[in-house]
Amino acid sequence: MESMLIAHRIPFYVHNRGFGGLYPGMQVSLYNVQRVMVPVAYAEASIELFGVFREGHQESFVCEKLGVRDRLRGVAEVLLGGWAVPFRYRKFLPANDESDRP
């Protein structure tokens, strides 16, 4: 995309460029996903340039029923990858230790 914009002399800005190198991990919208931004005056021309990408992207989404292997893989990813989901840790104290309790 950047090469096409440079070739057509359209100014652009990539939001969050290089951020993934600093903080690798899951792609979270509005946190570490990269976005290509162009001025409003060039928006129509850039949309026309990127039409090729949009057509190919829309065709790649085909709704089909998941097989048993794919469903099992999904369950395994949720169970084994649960560490990636942030949650608050609870502090467990022994029953006889009341010094740290409020």
Side-chain angles (χ1 to χ4, degrees):
M1 290 182 166
E2 292 178 29
S3 298
M4 290 176 67
L5 292 172
I6 292 170
H8 290 276
R9 296 184 180 173
I10 297 175
F12 66 94
Y13 172 74
V14 180
H15 181 255
N16 282 339
R17 179 192 301 227
F19 188 78
L22 293 173
Y23 302 103
M26 298 184 312
Q27 295 294 311
V28 179
S29 183
L30 296 177
Y31 178 64
N32 61 353
V33 174
Q34 294 185 9
R35 289 181 177 80
V36 178
M37 300 179 183
V38 297
V40 175
Y42 296 95
E44 196 169 314
S46 61
I47 289 172
E48 186 176 325
L49 282 174
F50 298 149
V52 175
F53 295 116
R54 295 176 85 198
E55 290 171 3
H57 183 68
Q58 290 172 352
E59 292 174 1
S60 66
F61 288 109
V62 178
C63 294
E64 55 185 59
K65 193 172 183 179
L66 294 176
V68 175
R69 281 183 69 185
D70 294 326
R71 290 181 186 181
L72 289 174
R73 179 182 175 186
V75 170
E77 287 178 358
V78 168
L79 294 175
L80 298 175
W83 60 270
V85 179
F87 62 92
R88 186 175 178 174
Y89 287 98
R90 291 182 15 190
K91 185 176 179 182
F92 293 102
L93 298 173
N96 58 0
D97 185 15
E98 303 217 2
S99 61
D100 290 339
R101 293 188 182 176

